[in-house]
């Protein structure tokens, strides 16, 4: 430590001699403190835009990330069947490569009504697969199961499959896609509550033959 | 010759006069340490450091070729494996080095814990060590993302789904983790930044602080039952011990560190050479959904725990338990900074380590064969065993067809083949009566979906008739005891010509 800065900030220390107190109040000490303050101010001015850059993905002011995109011709989806469709994410950027491709399950309920389910399991986002014979979606990760209408059947998910909003534009089925669907960022289905714990059908087990 | 030696000394003195580091470092290396800790139990920390250096070096070599772009990462890994001379070997060294590093860091931690070496005055050394463990695990997770294949892609999805459970700021956190609304180029770039710049920087700085404190306080002496740590006396006792039995760390104690580090490096090289690099598995194309994503070995236990948590408990457990566990590890030396160090006098410590180790072991083991996952192709690949088709009526055989066709086998085993999510069906009729099977199939429950909408009445009839034939080794079929009771009671009621009294035994 410098000879001249032996007691910075200790001017209120009564144990110091008057000379010591005076030394803590030299012009150089004052200028040094001023310079520290100046650096703090410059640092703050520097930090604000850098933090803004870092938090860019968070502060994106698009409440409705994404846009409408076609998943194919309506005629590709026979009534009463559930089929895998894919589209290129409308929010993909220049170096997303294959990860920009998004699969989804399209269920045609009737001539004009569809259900478009996200591929991601509502539990932890693994890709669910459709089994037409047992009319179930099964997840390979932890065994989440959903009925054909996307509602929760069994396993660890606490709700049904995420659904995309859809409309029929001319001959093509158009869905609204953006965020990767998770419990907090659903596939643009703002109508549904964010976290909806659907009752599991476990109370069945409390019958005497199981106990 | 004498002149050569003289000029060598002159060169050293020229350098040291300007650098001023060689002498203090060699003095620090030769610092006296109590002879009782020159033990094979004290070699894990230095081995972890050596592995970190191996990881840094192989990582730099991989960065010469690897392309951290979602478009090219997977291709560049395959290029490393197949087109670059010895690229596969450097990848294998980095992958196996990572597994060995986590293992050695965990062993080091357990050793320090059981030897009570975290107690005064080494509390902060332990706290920095816990941070180093978390950084090491952070390297492992981000490293798994670098191997940008199917598992990495869906692993990121799992990570995003976990942070999406944080209340209020879940969506913002998802976007922060992914670097955008979807898993893509921005995601890989930020995990690359973490894996290559941020975490290694923190890790190297942390190791520096950790080693500095080891030198400052000395390597902990061998614990003895009954020799208690007291803040007022410990440092004096330690210095007396050093003065009495001290020997230079280098070379008298360090030769064991060096031998162990060399054998660990040799083990990494052997694994890399004989078992090769990890992946990459399938390309990170989310439209290829025929995949069962799985994390790397050291995260399998988390994957298993997530399968067993009940839905309503999952979010609280995911958000609370890690915080409590990490806080507990960080606060441990502050809570127990004095007292007994020897494991023989610390039964709670030994029990905690045993319970945690056995639990992690069991969950990891379960994670390797995922009994909770449906076997997606069992219905078409695992036939009904022939012995279950012998002497069956046409209706029962039809039921076996229904069993296969409706994918029951994906979750239920027959003769050891099929999924393990539900119970094996080999002796189902000894556990459930016909009525109960009908109810279970149609309504589901107990973690089984209801099949009422997927089966028509004739299919249900056939399926249940077939299931009724599955009685293991010709065991007694299940009977409905209550039906027998009501029949008796009816008889009794008819006899006494009166209304039955509630609770009366027939």
């Amino acid at each position: 430590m410098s000879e001249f800065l032996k007691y910075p900030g200790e001017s209120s220390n009564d144990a110091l001699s008057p000379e010591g107190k005076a030394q803590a109040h030299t012009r150089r000490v004052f200028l040094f403190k001023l310079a520290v303050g100046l650096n703090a101010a410059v640092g703050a001015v520097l930090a604000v835009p850098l933090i803004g850059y870092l938090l860019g993905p968070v502060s994106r002011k698009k409440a409705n990330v994404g846009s409408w995109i076609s998943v194919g011709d309506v005629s590709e989806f026979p009534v009463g069947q559930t089929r895998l469709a894919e589209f290129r994410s409308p929010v993909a950027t220049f170096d997303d490569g294959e990860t920009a491709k998004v699969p989804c399950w399209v269920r045609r309920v009737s001539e004009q009504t569809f259900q478009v389910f996200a591929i991601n399991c509502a539990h932890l986002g693994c890709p669910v697969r459709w089994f037409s014979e047992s009319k179930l979606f099964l997840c390979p990760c932890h065994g989440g199961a959903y009925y054909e209408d996307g509602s929760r059947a069994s396993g660890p998910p606490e709700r049904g499959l995420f659904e995309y909003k859809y409309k029929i534009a001319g001959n093509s089925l158009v869905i609204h896609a953006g965020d990767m669907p998770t419990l907090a960022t659903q596939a643009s289905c703002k109508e549904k509550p964010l976290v909806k714990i659907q009752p599991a059908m476990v109370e069945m087990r409390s019958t005497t033959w199981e106990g | 010759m004498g002149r050569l030696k003289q000029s060598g000394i002159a060169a050293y003195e020229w350098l040291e006069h300007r650098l001023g580091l060689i002498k203090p470092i060699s003095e620090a290396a030769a610092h006296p340490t109590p002879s009782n800790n020159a033990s094979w139990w004290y070699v894990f920390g230095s081995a972890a450091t050596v592995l970190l250096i191996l990881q840094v070096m192989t990582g730099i070599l991989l960065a010469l070729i690897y392309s951290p772009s979602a478009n090219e990462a997977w291709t560049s890994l395959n290029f490393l494996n197949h087109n670059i001379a010895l690229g596969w070997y450097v990848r294998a060294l980095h992958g196996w080095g990572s597994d060995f590093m986590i293992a050695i860091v965990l062993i080091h931690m357990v050793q320090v814990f059981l030897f009570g070496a975290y107690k005064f005055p080494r509390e902060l050394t332990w706290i920095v060590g816990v941070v180093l463990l978390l950084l090491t695990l952070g390297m492992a997770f981000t490293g798994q993302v670098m191997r940008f294949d199917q598992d990495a892609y869906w692993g990121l999805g799992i990570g995003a789904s976990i942070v999406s459970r944080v209340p209020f700021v879940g969506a913002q956190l998802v976007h922060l983790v992914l670097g955008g609304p979807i898993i893509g180029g921005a995601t890989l770039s930020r995990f690359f930044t973490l894996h290559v710049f941020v975490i290694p920087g923190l890790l190297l700085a942390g190791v520096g602080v950790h080693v500095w404190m080891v030198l400052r306080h000395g390597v902990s002496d061998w614990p003895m039952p009954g020799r208690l740590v007291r803040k007022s006396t410990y440092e004096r006792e330690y210095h007396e011990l050093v003065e009495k039995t001290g020997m230079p760390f280098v070379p008298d104690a360090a030769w064991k560190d060096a031998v162990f580090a060399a054998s660990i490096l040799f083990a990494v090289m052997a694994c890399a050479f004989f078992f090769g690099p990890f992946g990459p598995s399938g390309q990170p194309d989310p439209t290829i959904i025929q995949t069962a994503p799985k994390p790397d070995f050291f995260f399998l236990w988390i994957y298993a725990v997530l399968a067993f948590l009940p839905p309503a408990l999952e979010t609280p457990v995911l958000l609370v338990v890690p915080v409590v566990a990490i806080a507990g590890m960080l606060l441990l030396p502050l809570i127990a900074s004095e007292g007994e160090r020897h494991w023989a006098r610390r039964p709670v410590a030994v029990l905690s380590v045993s319970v945690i180790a056995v639990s992690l072991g069991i969950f990891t083991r379960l994670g390797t064969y995922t009994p909770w996952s449906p076997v997606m192709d069992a219905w078409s690949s695992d036939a009904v065993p022939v012995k279950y088709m012998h002497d069956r009526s046409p209706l029962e055989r039809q039921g076996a067809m229904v069993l296969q066709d409706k994918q029951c086998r994906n979750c239920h085993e027959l003769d050891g083949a099929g999924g393990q999510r539900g119970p094996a069906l080999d002796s189902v009729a000894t556990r459930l009566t016909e009525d109960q099977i009908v109810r279970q199939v149609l309504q589901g429950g107990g973690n089984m979906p209801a099949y009422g909408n997927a089966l028509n009445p004739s299919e249900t009839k056939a399926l249940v008739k077939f299931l009724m034939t599955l009685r293991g080794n010709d065991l007694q079929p299940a009977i409905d005891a209550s039906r027998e009771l009501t029949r008796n009671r009816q008889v009794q009621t008819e006899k006494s010509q009166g209304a039955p009294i509630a609770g009366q035994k027939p």
Side-chain angles (χ1 to χ4, degrees):
Chain A
M1 186 172 285
S2 151
E3 208 180 317
F4 304 104
L5 273 174
K6 209 176 274 174
Y7 315 108
E10 290 191 17
S11 56
S12 59
N13 188 345
D14 287 338
L16 286 179
S17 64
E19 291 79 11
K21 285 187 183 178
Q23 210 168 37
H25 281 288
T26 62
R27 197 173 58 159
R28 284 180 179 135
V29 169
F30 170 73
L31 285 175
F32 178 73
K33 286 178 179 170
L34 203 65
V36 169
L38 182 69
N39 269 275
V42 170
V45 173
L46 178 68
V48 167
L50 294 188
I51 292 172
Y53 171 84
L54 186 64
L55 297 182
V58 175
S59 56
R60 202 166 290 161
K61 282 269 177 282
K62 289 180 208 156
N64 237 339
V65 181
S67 59
W68 293 93
I69 188 156
S70 169
V71 293
D73 205 87
V74 176
S75 60
E76 292 170 28
F77 307 104
V79 175
Q81 289 197 25
T82 301
R83 293 206 168 170
L84 191 67
E86 64 176 76
F87 57 94
R88 202 182 148 75
S89 172
V91 294
T93 53
F94 67 99
D95 69 339
D96 285 341
E98 291 172 314
T99 58
K101 294 199 276 183
V102 186
C104 61
W105 290 107
V106 178
R107 174 188 184 218
R108 189 165 190 179
V109 186
S110 71
E111 206 56 46
Q112 289 300 311
T113 40
F114 288 81
Q115 276 186 302
V116 186
F117 303 112
I119 199 77
N120 304 90
C121 181
H123 179 222
L124 290 170
C126 289
V128 296
R129 271 183 251 175
W130 168 245
F131 288 85
S132 57
E133 291 79 4
S134 48
K135 295 189 168 54
L136 288 174
F137 294 96
L138 293 180
C139 179
C141 281
H142 297 104
Y146 308 85
Y147 294 116
E148 59 179 338
D149 64 349
S151 60
R152 178 184 185 280
S154 77
E158 54 192 52
R159 48 155 291 156
L161 286 173
F162 305 112
E163 270 183 66
Y164 293 99
K165 280 190 287 197
Y166 73 93
K167 60 188 180 189
I168 298 161
N171 262 338
S172 61
L173 178 64
V174 186
I175 66 168
H176 192 275
D179 275 323
M180 175 201 160
T182 62
L183 288 175
T185 58
Q186 295 185 62
S188 312
C189 36
K190 301 290 179 202
E191 298 84 17
K192 282 193 179 176
L194 276 185
V195 177
K196 189 172 77 179
I197 298 186
Q198 294 186 344
M201 295 180 61
V202 285
E203 50 278 20
M204 293 296 184
R205 201 133 203 194
S206 59
T207 44
T208 44
W209 51 268
E210 281 286 354
Chain B
M1 194 63 195
R3 180 177 284 183
L4 196 68
K5 196 177 174 187
Q6 225 165 20
S7 61
I9 290 170
Y12 162 77
E13 276 171 358
W14 183 93
L15 182 70
E16 181 57 7
H17 187 75
R18 281 146 191 85
L19 185 67
L21 274 178
I22 299 172
K23 203 158 164 265
I25 287 178
S26 41
E27 275 172 10
H31 75 277
T33 185
S35 60
N36 66 12
N37 68 19
S39 150
W40 288 106
W41 284 103
Y42 281 68
V43 296
F44 302 112
S46 57
T49 315
V50 169
L51 284 171
L52 174 62
I53 294 165
L54 172 76
Q55 292 304 91
V56 170
M57 290 188 334
T58 50
I60 290 171
L61 293 178
L62 290 176
L64 297 177
I65 307 296
Y66 181 71
S67 166
S69 145
N71 214 0
E72 292 163 352
W74 188 79
T75 315
S76 72
L77 290 170
N78 281 300
F79 192 73
L80 263 165
N81 274 1
H82 304 297
N83 299 58
I84 299 287
L86 292 173
W88 66 272
Y89 183 61
V90 180
R91 280 202 68 231
L93 280 179
H94 199 66
W96 284 100
S98 126
D99 275 359
F100 271 83
M101 185 168 159
I102 298 178
I104 294 286
V105 164
L106 288 176
I107 294 170
H108 178 51
M109 186 179 188
V110 169
Q111 182 265 323
V112 166
F113 178 69
L114 287 180
F115 280 52
Y118 58 85
K119 289 176 190 262
F120 179 84
R122 303 185 179 84
E123 299 99 323
L124 193 60
T125 321
W126 166 274
I127 291 172
V128 172
V130 171
V131 174
L132 290 175
L133 169 71
L134 298 177
L135 290 171
T136 306
L137 293 175
M139 285 304 281
F141 185 78
T142 53
Q144 186 185 314
V145 174
M146 293 304 99
R147 196 181 61 231
F148 204 58
D149 54 11
Q150 279 177 327
D151 285 354
Y153 179 90
W154 296 108
L156 281 168
I158 292 178
S161 300
I162 289 175
V163 298
S164 80
R165 291 164 182 263
V166 177
F168 308 119
V169 291
Q172 282 88 335
L173 282 179
V174 171
H175 291 156
L176 190 64
V177 168
L178 299 184
I182 59 167
I183 299 166
T187 319
L188 180 59
S189 296
R190 63 184 43 218
F191 275 83
F192 180 77
T193 309
L194 285 172
H195 187 77
V196 173
F197 300 109
V198 181
I199 304 181
L202 293 172
L203 204 49
L204 290 172
V207 168
V209 174
H210 199 68
V211 171
W212 160 253
M213 283 188 288
V214 170
L215 289 172
R216 180 172 160 74
H217 300 293
V219 177
S220 73
D221 48 318
W222 187 271
M224 299 291 276
R227 196 197 288 164
L228 303 185
V229 174
R230 283 199 193 84
K231 282 181 186 170
S232 50
T233 57
Y234 178 81
E235 282 176 324
R236 186 164 43 80
E237 288 166 6
Y238 183 81
H239 285 296
E240 280 167 10
L241 191 67
V242 169
E243 269 170 38
K244 219 182 291 172
T245 73
M247 55 192 216
F249 176 72
V250 177
D252 290 12
W255 70 269
K256 283 177 181 160
D257 292 85
V259 169
F260 184 70
S263 52
I264 285 292
L265 281 182
F266 187 77
V268 172
M269 287 189 282
C271 285
F273 184 78
F274 288 112
F275 302 120
F278 297 100
S281 68
Q283 63 209 79
D285 181 342
T287 60
I288 304 171
I289 61 166
Q290 281 72 24
T291 173
K294 226 182 201 188
D296 281 353
F297 181 79
F298 281 101
F299 297 108
L300 277 178
W301 65 275
I302 302 179
Y303 188 73
V305 169
L306 291 174
F308 290 118
L309 287 172
L313 262 184
E314 185 138 3
T315 299
V317 168
L318 273 176
L319 299 183
V320 174
V321 170
V323 175
V324 171
I326 292 170
M329 288 195 292
L330 289 174
L331 293 177
L332 167 77
L334 305 179
I335 295 163
S337 65
E338 289 190 305
E340 193 67 63
R341 279 186 57 199
H342 196 269
W343 52 90
R345 298 278 178 92
R346 291 163 58 225
V348 176
V350 175
L351 188 67
S352 310
V353 169
S354 317
V355 168
I356 293 170
V358 169
S359 312
L360 293 183
I362 289 173
F363 281 123
T364 303
R365 174 84 186 90
L366 285 167
T368 56
Y369 68 100
T370 62
W372 53 80
S373 294
V375 176
M376 296 300 209
D377 60 351
W379 68 290
S380 51
S381 64
D382 294 333
V384 174
V386 175
K387 62 178 177 182
Y388 293 149
M389 303 300 282
H390 272 306
D391 306 322
R392 300 296 197 262
S393 72
L395 181 62
E396 288 160 355
R397 289 186 178 185
Q398 190 63 35
M401 293 268 291
V402 175
L403 181 93
Q404 289 300 109
D405 220 29
K406 296 296 173 181
Q407 285 125 359
C408 305
R409 298 295 297 285
N410 289 15
C411 294
H412 292 286
E413 276 188 342
L414 274 185
D415 206 23
Q420 294 175 293
R421 183 159 182 81
L425 296 178
D426 299 275
S427 58
V428 63
T430 66
R431 300 191 299 270
L432 301 179
T433 64
E434 186 167 352
D435 288 356
Q436 287 167 339
I437 293 180
V438 171
R439 195 213 59 78
Q440 183 65 29
V441 167
L442 294 185
Q443 297 183 355
N447 227 351
M448 172 171 160
Y451 284 80
N453 287 332
L455 293 169
N456 64 37
S458 53
E459 285 169 334
T460 311
K461 180 84 181 165
L463 175 64
V464 173
K465 283 293 173 209
F466 173 67
L467 291 176
M468 287 305 294
T469 68
L470 299 177
R471 288 191 276 115
N473 256 341
D474 276 335
L475 300 169
Q476 279 288 321
I479 53 160
D480 190 342
S482 62
R483 183 164 293 178
E484 198 66 18
L485 284 178
T486 38
R487 204 167 57 83
N488 283 349
R489 182 169 296 181
Q490 268 171 353
V491 173
Q492 204 179 39
T493 316
E494 278 159 19
K495 270 186 193 160
S496 64
Q497 296 291 322
I501 300 155
Q504 184 191 358
K505 290 219 167 117

